[in-house]
Amino acid sequence: MIDLRSDTVTKPSAAMRQAMANAEVGDDVLDGDPTVLRLERRVAELLGKDRGLFFPTGTMANQAALWLLGERGTEVYCHEDSHIVNWEIAGTAGLIGLQPRLVGGAPVLEPEALREKLRPASPHAPRASLVCAENTHNGAGGMVTPLAKLQAIRAVADEAGLPLHLDGARLWNASVATGTSLAEFGACAETVMLSFSKGLGAPVGAVLVGSERVMAKAWETRKRFGGGMRQSGVLAAAALCGLEHNLPRLQADHRRAKALADALSAIADLRVVAPDTNIVMVDLPARHTAADVVARAKAAGVQVSAWNASRIRAVLHGDIDDAMAADATARLSEVLH
């Protein structure tokens, strides 16, 4: 079975498992785990931020950023198809007390659409306290928000007096695809979340980085959410291994995604979103439903996911080599003809 449901399905390599087994550890809640501290410093340095904090999941790290930057009983501006809006079980409202104000009009957040959505000050309308962007944008098929656009989004937020949080779960992919440094992307946001359990191939983990002012309260927030871990250096070691060995090879995932998209584009009536990175979205004609295609693809030995009733998603990742990608392309092509 060739599993293209997500880049989260990657399994730790032998080298990563060895790094985990050999990790120097301590009690991270009591006095700090040395391997976790090394990871936090490394990612903060890469992003040009003062401090980093290791979290079990990207969702928890995103929600912590909303807690730190947002204000209960106010609005947060998010793209309508963002992960924070659609895939975090309404944590924005349920945990933080923030009301999402949805910005649409394009596959990703656009600066002018954000500006048009800003409410004029009124005693009868909710105030805003935060803007969130996502890069790469999962719902748009791993689309990259280039640096100039992200800087323009930050400028609109600054004009409104609002901080910007960047959901950068796959910011590694955006950096590799564009050549823009992580620090350049990081400079656009007050806080940035990055995930280790996707393209970098670690089994668990994310990090939140930000300014000293904001991150001073991040440890307390993580503990409040139940994210304090003990000998978590075994997990941080996997993330460090992913940074060293898997970050440089993300371009191969992007190349394989483009080859898959090009092959499927040749099939009549399919609309394939040209991938910027490692995610391929395919909009199906009326003769197919996503659920049916997913079932038939699985029977043919390829797992993909149903994004909605008429769209499927395939994600290339580190466990898929060129031969497997070619095999999956042939099988999917046969299913979709």
Side-chain angles (χ1 to χ4, degrees):
M1 185 67 68
I2 302 172
D3 196 343
L4 303 182
R5 289 173 296 170
S6 177
D7 42 12
T8 61
V9 304
T10 54
K11 295 179 175 60
S13 65
M16 187 175 285
R17 289 175 185 268
Q18 191 63 52
M20 295 169 74
N22 295 338
E24 181 186 4
V25 298
D27 192 319
D28 194 48
V29 173
L30 290 183
D31 48 17
D33 179 290
T35 306
V36 169
L37 293 172
R38 184 155 59 96
L39 174 66
E40 291 170 346
R41 287 192 296 266
R42 176 65 178 136
V43 180
E45 179 184 79
L46 285 171
L47 272 291
K49 296 299 185 186
D50 297 331
R51 286 171 60 181
L53 190 66
F54 187 49
F55 281 78
T57 70
T59 293
M60 183 184 284
N62 270 341
Q63 293 299 314
L66 296 175
W67 182 284
L68 291 163
L69 296 176
E71 181 184 341
R72 192 173 182 86
T74 64
E75 289 187 321
V76 52
Y77 288 86
C78 303
H79 187 264
E80 62 184 358
D81 289 329
S82 65
H83 190 280
I84 284 173
V85 169
N86 291 310
W87 303 108
E88 299 190 8
I89 318 295
T92 307
L95 298 175
I96 318 301
L98 284 169
Q99 174 172 287
R101 182 157 168 81
L102 305 184
V103 182
V108 300
L109 186 65
E110 296 284 346
E112 287 308 312
L114 174 61
R115 179 178 281 110
E116 291 173 6
K117 202 71 175 182
L118 294 173
R119 294 183 190 270
S122 167
H124 309 294
R127 290 183 296 108
S129 63
L130 178 61
V131 176
C132 291
E134 183 178 336
N135 202 16
T136 67
H137 194 295
N138 184 22
M143 186 177 292
V144 173
T145 298
L147 181 61
K149 183 179 292 186
L150 195 60
Q151 289 170 333
I153 291 168
R154 176 60 188 263
V156 174
D158 284 345
E159 290 168 14
L162 303 174
L164 176 68
H165 168 63
L166 179 59
D167 175 353
R170 293 183 175 89
L171 193 63
W172 320 108
N173 295 85
S175 179
V176 167
T178 62
T180 302
S181 72
L182 292 163
E184 289 175 298
F185 280 130
C188 299
E190 187 81 13
T191 53
V192 184
M193 183 279 285
L194 302 102
S195 175
F196 302 112
S197 60
K198 297 181 172 67
L200 297 193
V204 172
V207 71
L208 183 69
V209 297
S211 66
E212 183 67 38
R213 180 186 69 81
V214 172
M215 296 300 291
K217 292 185 177 180
W219 189 93
E220 176 187 275
T221 301
R222 184 185 67 179
K223 186 170 178 64
R224 178 178 291 117
F225 286 175
M229 297 178 285
R230 301 293 180 174
Q231 287 75 33
S232 45
V234 293
L235 302 175
L240 285 164
C241 184
L243 276 174
E244 181 178 354
H245 298 289
N246 294 338
L247 179 56
R249 52 143 301 278
L250 290 181
Q251 190 61 53
D253 296 342
H254 301 174
R255 173 176 55 78
R256 292 171 186 133
K258 184 179 186 306
L260 173 61
D262 288 347
L264 296 183
S265 294
I267 299 174
D269 298 331
L270 292 187
R271 178 186 173 274
V272 182
V273 179
D276 284 349
T277 53
N278 65 320
I279 300 175
V280 179
M281 295 288 201
V282 181
D283 291 320
L284 304 169
R287 69 178 184 274
H288 293 301
T289 67
D292 178 56
V293 168
V294 167
R296 288 192 290 118
K298 186 175 182 180
V302 182
Q303 288 184 280
V304 295
S305 57
W307 190 254
N308 58 35
S310 59
R311 170 175 280 197
I312 61 168
R313 184 181 81 155
V315 185
L316 281 297
H317 54 78
D319 286 357
I320 305 296
D321 60 21
D322 283 339
M324 294 170 71
D327 191 6
T329 299
R331 297 186 197 191
L332 277 175
S333 296
E334 185 173 345
V335 166
L336 289 166
H337 265 102

